[in-house]
Amino acid sequence: LSSHIIWQAWKKLFESYAHDGIVGCVSDAVAMDILNRNKQALELGKAQENLIKKMIALEEQAGPDDIFVYNLSLKHFSGYKTIEVISYDEQIECIGAKTTTIIETKKMKGYEHALVEKPEGNYYEKEPDYFIHTVVIDVEIAPLSFVKLRSKPIAHAVLKSGGAQIKNSNYRFYIEKDTVHLETKTNVYQDVISIISDGNAGDTYDFSTTGIEGKHFSLVNYTVETSEHVQQMRLTYETL
């Protein structure tokens, strides 16, 4: 690993954030330069990150179903992490985690002529369809370390659809008459989400109304999914 490359990435970030650049008070040309330097810094950092992860996977003799989850902080981590898992299975659990909950799944169509590169020679084959899962897991990870999990297919989804509320011991969000309300231990707050598409006549540092009434969005659809450990409410707003 090269510390020189890491230093190059840091220098790119330093070049982007002088006094005026930090608050975005720059010309369009300078803004484009800042975005380009940030892109270069990200690419340098990602290259080193991918190399480190590849070395760890080789050292751990990782297989196609193995998942590595990292804790890059100086403190012990205990709790929930959201990860992305690519799998040929529609429903999975992560062996090694305390709990596994899939909160979103995208089905991807495999390539008709996927190139396979192997030592004995290259060839083409039809790639099977696969799934990209967004998964919430409950794990414990030591400081500056990782845990190795394994993906395993299961028969049924953990999240169940239905209802019009999500809650914990302190808060309850619920839907009533096409509006979202919040209930705490001491108060009930009516219609807590309001979305307005409005213009801005202000400058870099403040917002000023244009004097023209903006477009109000209304709740047109919602879904609630819950499990023993995860709850989520998805809201769809549109202008009427």
Side-chain angles (χ1 to χ4, degrees):
L1 298 176
S2 173
S3 59
H4 176 69
I5 294 179
I6 300 298
W7 177 239
Q8 278 186 306
W10 272 112
K11 286 182 67 175
K12 291 295 181 184
L13 292 178
F14 290 145
E15 290 170 7
S16 294
Y17 295 102
H19 171 74
D20 291 338
I22 288 178
V23 296
C25 184
V26 294
S27 66
D28 290 345
V30 175
M32 293 297 294
D33 288 341
I34 289 174
L35 292 175
N36 186 53
R37 294 189 194 106
N38 288 351
K39 178 175 177 289
Q40 293 176 23
L42 180 63
E43 289 174 346
L44 289 169
K46 282 293 183 182
Q48 292 296 290
E49 177 186 339
N50 290 337
L51 178 58
I52 293 170
K53 289 179 177 179
K54 181 179 179 180
M55 294 171 66
I56 291 174
L58 291 172
E59 180 70 22
E60 293 289 322
Q61 299 180 336
D65 296 324
D66 289 331
I67 303 165
F68 291 86
V69 184
Y70 297 87
N71 175 21
L72 302 182
S73 75
L74 299 176
K75 296 181 179 180
H76 181 88
F77 178 86
S78 178
Y80 293 97
K81 279 186 175 290
T82 302
I83 63 174
E84 188 174 87
V85 179
I86 300 175
S87 174
Y88 292 120
D89 302 303
E90 187 171 3
Q91 300 293 336
I92 62 168
E93 66 174 334
C94 296
I95 305 300
K98 297 178 183 177
T99 63
T100 305
T101 307
I102 298 175
I103 60 173
E104 186 177 7
T105 296
K106 295 179 182 178
K107 184 175 182 180
M108 310 299 292
K109 187 173 179 59
Y111 288 104
E112 291 292 330
H113 302 286
L115 175 62
V116 180
E117 297 179 323
K118 289 191 173 181
E120 58 268 25
N122 300 342
Y123 60 92
Y124 292 89
E125 66 178 14
K126 185 181 184 307
E127 182 184 43
D129 296 343
Y130 60 95
F131 301 90
I132 300 178
H133 300 295
T134 302
V135 184
V136 175
I137 56 173
D138 186 3
V139 292
E140 292 197 19
I141 315 175
L144 296 176
S145 186
F146 63 89
V147 292
K148 181 181 176 183
L149 311 176
R150 182 168 56 85
S151 171
K152 175 186 175 183
I154 58 175
H156 304 290
V158 175
L159 278 179
K160 305 297 181 183
S161 299
Q165 68 173 9
I166 54 175
K167 63 180 181 178
N168 60 21
S169 58
N170 297 310
Y171 304 99
R172 180 173 78 100
F173 287 93
Y174 64 97
I175 297 173
E176 190 175 84
K177 296 181 180 179
D178 294 330
T179 54
V180 181
H181 312 289
L182 168 62
E183 180 182 359
T184 68
K185 291 181 177 180
T186 57
N187 291 295
V188 175
Y189 301 92
Q190 302 289 335
D191 195 10
V192 294
I193 299 180
S194 179
I195 302 177
I196 302 174
S197 177
D198 200 2
N200 180 14
D203 57 21
T204 303
Y205 297 101
D206 71 348
F207 169 82
S208 299
T209 180
T210 60
I212 302 174
E213 185 178 357
K215 295 181 179 179
H216 291 256
F217 285 70
S218 299
L219 178 64
V220 295
N221 188 35
Y222 67 89
T223 59
V224 175
E225 296 178 306
T226 59
S227 72
E228 183 181 356
H229 304 283
V230 175
Q231 303 175 62
Q232 63 180 9
M233 176 184 289
R234 299 176 183 268
L235 309 173
T236 302
Y237 284 79
E238 293 180 359
T239 55
L240 301 180

